Amino acid sequence: MIKEGTLHLDSYRLASYAVQVPCYICGGGNTFDAELCRHCCAPMALAHQANTQKVRPRMVAAIGTSGVGKTVYLGMLMDMLSRMPDRLQLLARGAFSITLQQITTAALSRGEFPDKTPNEPDRWNWVHAQVRAQKQRHPVDLIMPDMAGEALLEEIEHPRSYQVIRSLLSQCGGVLLLVDASQLGSGTLEQDYFAMKLLSYLIELDEDPKTGWPSRPIALIFSKADEREDCFIDPAAFAASHASGLYRLCQERFREVQFFASGVAGSCAYRNVPKLGRVRVPLRVEPRGIIEPFEWLIGRIKS
Ligand SMILES: Nc1nc2c(ncn2[C@@H]2O[C@H](COP(=O)(O)OP(=O)(O)O)[C@@H](O)[C@H]2O)c(=O)[nH]1
Ligand SMILES: [Mg+2]
Ligand SMILES: [Zn+2]
């Protein structure tokens, strides 16, 4: 109170900051108006959306080295699912879930591939969608970050350097593991080694034979299979002959692994772009084997 009249105190506004909202991915406390988690950078919209539902959303991640084709695959998957309601019904939750689809389709329709995903977790596109298969009564909530391959590699080589990846992969019900078929086909084993490191990392995260990674579904997708026709004919045989280390590890340590082949571009070429140099561009868009791995994974995720 002052002599001339009443002055309202704004301090009551601080009260709402006293209640912390836990992050959906890492569980760390955040203020109610935070956009990104201050501990792991995951979008807080996930926590707010999950709070309005009774069942916890199940998570799936798309993983693989940088340049393996994660962004193109996920963007195409979201786009195809949103146009095929008779197969799997998909409902995007939150504007950021549509961004990935938008960026990918816009680039492909210009005859380009989308730009590289930034390394910082706060700049990844997080997809949150509700998916319902025809036979399922209850929809599955899916959270899939389109993460940068370098960040993933860093976390595998130096565990706990990217806490967000660690928390996410511990909680995921299954993964889409992308492996570059065109690189494997040309005889380089980099992709084979990376996939093996990644699977070993998953086993170390949770070794429980019933609830851990040995029994969680892993869809092993050979990307860019448009450049390797033999991969489309028999993906498992392609794995056995071109990625034998990975194939053996899958047989020995994991119970739910299935091999798939996928390709978004019908054929590719190089174009000279000023300042950028030679850039690989799709000559036509001809998606194959995009939905099958995802459909298989969704059908096997435990609640
Ligand atoms: N032939 C072919 N090349 C692809 C395909 N998808 C991606 N690429 C190539 O791989 C590059 C990296 O793809 P991107 O999705 O950004 O990889 P990310 O780093 O795993 O997200 C693209 O720029 C293309 O040159 C595909 O389906 N077929
Ligand atoms: Mg990417
Ligand atoms: Zn967090």
Side-chain angles (χ1 to χ4, degrees):
M1 282 276 281
I2 51 172
K3 220 154 96 199
E4 286 79 23
T6 314
L7 184 73
H8 289 289
L9 289 174
D10 270 354
S11 51
Y12 74 94
R13 287 179 198 271
L14 290 173
S16 47
Y17 283 95
V19 182
Q20 299 266 299
V21 181
C23 161
Y24 188 74
I25 306 293
C26 73
N30 287 274
T31 56
F32 74 96
D33 57 354
E35 196 187 335
L36 300 171
C37 168
R38 68 193 165 96
H39 311 277
C40 76
C41 293
M44 283 304 289
L46 297 174
H48 297 302
Q49 284 170 357
N51 277 347
T52 58
Q53 290 169 293
K54 283 194 216 96
V55 251
R56 269 179 80 82
R58 276 161 262 179
M59 288 192 276
V60 166
I63 49 184
T65 52
S66 170
V68 72
K70 297 180 295 297
T71 302
V72 173
Y73 175 81
L74 278 183
M76 185 49 81
L77 176 73
M78 298 323 274
D79 194 54
M80 288 177 75
L81 288 181
S82 61
R83 285 164 218 280
M84 290 184 184
D86 47 325
R87 202 147 163 198
L88 275 177
Q89 284 173 5
L90 177 120
L91 187 71
R93 295 173 65 90
F96 57 85
S97 299
I98 302 169
T99 312
L100 176 68
Q101 175 182 345
Q102 187 185 4
I103 293 173
T104 310
T105 48
L108 288 174
S109 62
R110 283 196 308 269
E112 293 166 9
F113 282 114
D115 289 341
K116 218 179 135 313
T117 313
N119 267 1
E120 307 80 38
D122 59 338
R123 293 186 50 210
W124 299 347
N125 287 308
W126 289 73
V127 174
H128 182 185
Q130 265 191 348
V131 183
R132 189 204 303 260
Q134 262 186 343
K135 279 180 258 150
Q136 280 175 327
R137 238 180 38 170
H138 298 292
V140 183
D141 259 88
L142 283 171
I143 291 172
M144 297 190 288
D146 175 23
M147 57 170 91
E150 288 89 349
L152 187 60
L153 189 63
E154 181 74 16
E155 168 61 23
I156 291 172
E157 301 277 2
H158 309 283
R160 295 177 204 279
S161 49
Y162 277 90
Q163 193 57 38
V164 60
I165 296 182
R166 198 176 178 81
S167 328
L168 178 84
L169 290 180
S170 316
Q171 295 179 57
C172 273
V175 288
L176 300 160
L177 171 53
L178 276 79
V179 178
D180 193 320
S182 91
Q183 266 190 35
L184 276 180
S186 67
T188 35
L189 284 176
E190 200 104 327
Q191 291 285 316
D192 187 26
Y193 291 133
F194 178 82
M196 285 199 286
K197 276 189 204 171
L198 210 128
L199 291 180
S200 314
Y201 174 84
L202 290 182
I203 288 267
E204 274 161 37
L205 276 184
D206 194 343
E207 280 189 277
D208 190 287
K210 287 218 180 79
T211 56
W213 278 104
S215 68
R216 295 189 204 171
I218 297 172
L220 219 147
I221 308 174
F222 289 114
S223 64
K224 310 183 193 177
D226 45 279
E227 295 179 16
R228 293 290 312 195
E229 202 51 44
D230 53 335
C231 184
F232 268 117
I233 296 167
D234 190 346
F238 183 84
S241 57
H242 292 88
S244 51
L246 173 65
Y247 186 76
R248 243 202 351 265
L249 182 67
C250 290
Q251 303 278 315
E252 285 168 10
R253 305 292 304 270
F254 297 89
R255 286 204 299 279
E256 289 270 15
V257 179
Q258 181 90 14
F259 295 92
F260 296 92
S262 92
V264 172
S267 62
C268 294
Y270 285 99
R271 195 169 70 195
N272 278 323
V273 179
K275 289 188 191 146
L276 292 176
R278 261 157 64 91
V279 174
R280 202 156 168 75
V281 292
L283 290 181
R284 53 173 201 275
V285 178
E286 195 181 294
R288 284 161 79 188
I290 305 289
I291 297 186
E292 291 79 1
F294 185 70
E295 211 168 30
W296 175 87
L297 194 71
I298 297 282
R300 273 167 184 76
I301 286 188
K302 298 187 195 115
S303 44

